Amino acid sequence: MRLVLVGPPGAGKGTQAQFVASNLSIPKISTGDIFRANVSGGTELGKLAKEYMDRGDLVPDEVTIAMVRDRLAEKDAQDGFLLDGFPRNVPQAEILKKILAEFGAGLDLVLELVVDDEEVVRRLAGRRTCSQCGRIWHVDFDDKKDDVCDACNGKLYQRDDDKEETVRHRLEVYQEQTAPLVSFYADEGILVGVDATGPVEEVTRRAMEALSPYAG
Ligand SMILES: [Zn+2]
């Protein structure tokens, strides 16, 4: 099965990508992994990407796309894969369609993790990081009443990334880019939404249930 996973920050996308891919016995292909593999493997694309990153610049789309194409051409991806982190927008979705067409294939399904904005804010803005050991606690889920790490007694703080206004901004950016992507796949008739609230195992179970009519 050829799958794409989309979902807002804080939806637990990385975790679900791993569980769903392993349940379906297909490789999980994330752009982060592809990047690291190319850079540490010293490929031409990796060297190119590293030049941009070392300068503090964004790696251009063409480089990312070329890396994704190389990865999808590998043997283990021929019978299926789960893409995480690509495509991010409609132009990339169009390119993915072309790449797969070259291989005589197409996407089977796009799984959208659906989480309410307020739930994302609650999940992310409730995180507190230990300034000493780096461990992350949650004010609600860990019932954290003080600003002290239970593991090392270090002082807890809220990372800038986890501040409510930052989280809301990331959600806005996500909506801007991803709403059109979701409509694009809905128009293609391959979009399936999965409620991503509740325990991790429950979300995986729902995702597998949503996929079952299409699997095999
Ligand atoms: Zn600590």
Side-chain angles (χ1 to χ4, degrees), residues 130-135 137 149-154 156:
C130 175
S131 53
Q132 274 186 39
C133 72
R135 201 174 147 163
W137 302 88
C149 175
D150 290 350
C152 76
N153 281 326
L156 302 184

Side-chain angles (χ1 to χ4, degrees), residues 135-161:
R135 201 174 147 163
I136 294 165
W137 302 88
H138 197 282
V139 289
D140 296 331
F141 310 142
D142 297 313
D143 195 21
K144 211 74 201 78
K145 304 268 187 261
D146 52 16
D147 283 338
V148 180
C149 175
D150 290 350
C152 76
N153 281 326
K155 193 163 167 38
L156 302 184
Y157 73 106
Q158 188 179 35
R159 288 176 52 220
D160 283 341
D161 258 10

Side-chain angles (χ1 to χ4, degrees), residues 21 34 41 43 50 65 73 78 86 104 118 124 127-129 147 153 155 157 161 167-168 181 183 186 198 202 204 212:
I34 298 179
T43 67
K50 197 171 176 304
I65 289 160
Q78 297 319 299
F86 188 91
E118 293 315 308
L124 296 182
R127 286 155 47 113
R128 296 293 179 273
T129 306
D147 283 338
N153 281 326
K155 193 163 167 38
Y157 73 106
D161 258 10
V167 174
R168 290 200 187 274
L181 183 66
S183 329
E202 181 60 21
T204 308
S212 66

Side-chain angles (χ1 to χ4, degrees), residues 89-149:
N89 49 47
V90 174
Q92 288 187 349
E94 305 267 18
I95 288 164
L96 176 62
K97 203 172 169 178
K98 281 192 198 130
I99 294 176
L100 291 176
E102 283 171 30
F103 303 146
L107 279 182
D108 294 303
L109 226 49
V110 174
L111 208 58
E112 183 195 14
L113 296 179
V114 181
V115 194
D116 195 55
D117 275 8
E118 293 315 308
E119 172 65 14
V120 168
V121 170
R122 189 171 88 96
R123 285 183 189 184
L124 296 182
R127 286 155 47 113
R128 296 293 179 273
T129 306
C130 175
S131 53
Q132 274 186 39
C133 72
R135 201 174 147 163
I136 294 165
W137 302 88
H138 197 282
V139 289
D140 296 331
F141 310 142
D142 297 313
D143 195 21
K144 211 74 201 78
K145 304 268 187 261
D146 52 16
D147 283 338
V148 180
C149 175

Side-chain angles (χ1 to χ4, degrees), residues 10-20 23 113 123 194-208:
K13 200 155 61 76
T15 312
Q16 292 305 330
Q18 208 146 3
F19 288 153
V20 170
N23 279 338
L113 296 179
R123 285 183 189 184
V194 172
D195 174 9
T197 53
V200 169
E201 317 80 65
E202 181 60 21
V203 177
T204 308
R205 198 192 54 75
R206 280 185 211 128
M208 295 311 296

Side-chain angles (χ1 to χ4, degrees), residues 43-70:
T43 67
E44 287 309 312
L45 288 169
K47 284 179 204 160
L48 195 57
K50 197 171 176 304
E51 280 174 30
Y52 286 95
M53 291 189 283
D54 286 347
R55 287 200 302 261
D57 290 332
L58 277 179
V59 178
D61 244 20
E62 307 89 77
V63 177
T64 309
I65 289 160
M67 284 183 185
V68 170
R69 180 200 299 267
D70 282 358

